[in-house]
Amino acid sequence: MTPRTLVMGVVNVTPDSFSDGGQWFEQDVAIAHGRHLLAQGADILDIGGESTRPGAERVSLAEELQRVVPVVEALAAAGAVISVDTMRAAVATAALDAGASIINDVSGGLADPEMVALVVDGDFEYVVSHWRGHSDVMAGRATYVDVVGDVVGELRGRLAAIIAAGVAPERLIVDPGLGFAKEGADNWRLLAHLDALTALGHRVLVGASRKRFLGQLLADAGAESLPVFRDRATAAVTALVAAHGVWGVRVHEVAGSVDAVRVAQALRSAENEPSSDGREGTP
């Protein structure tokens, strides 16, 4: 059977996340939320202690460590596969020691010069995202000649640099960085051309969940567009990209995307079954 898309549930241990407004900021609440996402069917939990919403200011290293490490320890002890959303090598190191097995770096190793060396020396999986700068400057850098070609080209260069440093290619996962230095239409173009991303030869992670471009779409249709009302649109994106065969989706509301993956998997399986006259289905 075709491997199914994995669902990565988000646990934001922050007071200022765009998606949930700090709902899971307290550690006990964050841990309980992580357990809830696991019960809903999350394959991976992605734990982050620093908001990357547009305009967000960076937190101190000490604060990020204090937010993230206890939650990683508790949820890893509960048997969860843990990813940690951080741009700092020191946080990544502490999180790995606490039980994480994936580092999800939205800067692709550009924010911290020590990150790539950590990846070289480690045995964890590393998510390389397309990135053009921190939250306070990225909105001014959303200028592209051809967003698909430019993003793929910049990712290709970043992947080449990380591999040249000594990281095995099979440890790397690619994320197009939806919403990071990208206007609404840019995100749709990237989703419409996932084949260009998969052609890079690495697993692809898509993080469209509750993002502004979905809110803009819903608002244009006269629907409620606040982040918490974007989950059905998120699940629709999950179904589409899962049908395309991406490795994973990063989402805030897990149950809807788990169902969406099931639908996509059933469709992909049916496409490969012989038809009644003995011919293979359309690949």
Side-chain angles (χ1 to χ4, degrees):
M1 180 176 287
T2 304
R4 68 169 176 84
T5 295
L6 301 179
V7 177
M8 177 185 284
V10 178
V11 181
N12 288 319
V13 195
T14 60
D16 56 347
S17 171
F18 86 94
S19 62
D20 54 42
Q23 189 174 1
W24 319 115
F25 180 48
E26 298 296 331
Q27 287 179 1
D28 289 348
V29 178
I31 292 165
H33 182 56
R35 289 178 180 274
H36 175 66
L37 296 182
L38 290 174
Q40 287 188 322
D43 299 292
I44 303 165
L45 297 180
D46 190 51
I47 301 168
E50 179 178 26
S51 175
T52 52
R53 62 178 173 79
E57 295 183 3
R58 300 209 69 187
V59 300
S60 69
L61 169 60
E63 177 67 17
E64 189 179 355
L65 286 167
Q66 182 179 346
R67 293 176 181 182
V68 168
V69 174
V71 178
V72 172
E73 287 178 339
L75 291 172
V81 176
I82 302 293
S83 166
V84 170
D85 182 354
T86 186
M87 293 179 277
R88 289 183 166 117
V91 175
T93 298
L96 292 163
D97 289 343
S101 57
I102 303 170
I103 298 300
N104 179 13
D105 181 356
V106 298
S107 80
L110 292 170
D112 186 341
E114 297 180 8
M115 183 67 87
V116 172
L118 175 65
V119 182
V120 170
D121 292 337
D123 61 358
F124 54 92
E125 295 179 300
Y126 184 62
V127 180
V128 181
S129 295
H130 178 261
W131 190 76
R132 285 186 167 185
H134 288 289
S135 298
D136 59 341
V137 300
M138 67 180 179
R141 299 179 180 178
T143 302
Y144 301 90
V145 175
D146 166 24
V147 67
V148 176
D150 291 353
V151 168
V152 169
E154 290 169 32
L155 277 170
R156 183 181 291 111
R158 195 71 205 120
L159 290 162
I162 293 170
I163 292 168
V167 179
E170 58 269 21
R171 292 174 55 204
L172 302 178
I173 300 161
V174 174
D175 185 331
L178 300 180
F180 290 84
K182 299 176 184 69
E183 301 293 342
D186 296 333
N187 301 289
W188 292 115
R189 288 280 295 167
L190 289 165
L191 287 171
H193 294 278
L194 286 173
D195 55 333
L197 289 162
T198 56
L200 289 168
H202 300 271
R203 293 165 291 170
V204 174
L205 174 67
V206 172
S209 182
R210 295 184 179 177
K211 290 195 172 172
R212 183 177 299 176
F213 74 98
L214 295 180
Q216 291 169 341
L217 175 71
L218 298 177
D220 289 345
E224 177 57 70
S225 62
L226 291 174
V228 294
F229 291 100
R230 300 171 191 170
D231 290 333
R232 288 177 295 185
T234 298
V237 172
T238 292
L240 293 169
V241 301
H244 192 86
V246 302
W247 172 79
V249 290
R250 180 182 182 275
V251 299
H252 299 84
E253 193 276 321
V254 164
S257 282
V258 168
D259 285 348
V261 167
R262 289 192 183 107
V263 169
Q265 181 69 5
L267 180 61
R268 295 182 73 202
S269 296
E271 286 177 339
N272 294 316
E273 290 178 358
S275 61
S276 58
D277 59 4
R279 294 179 296 176
E280 290 292 323
T282 303

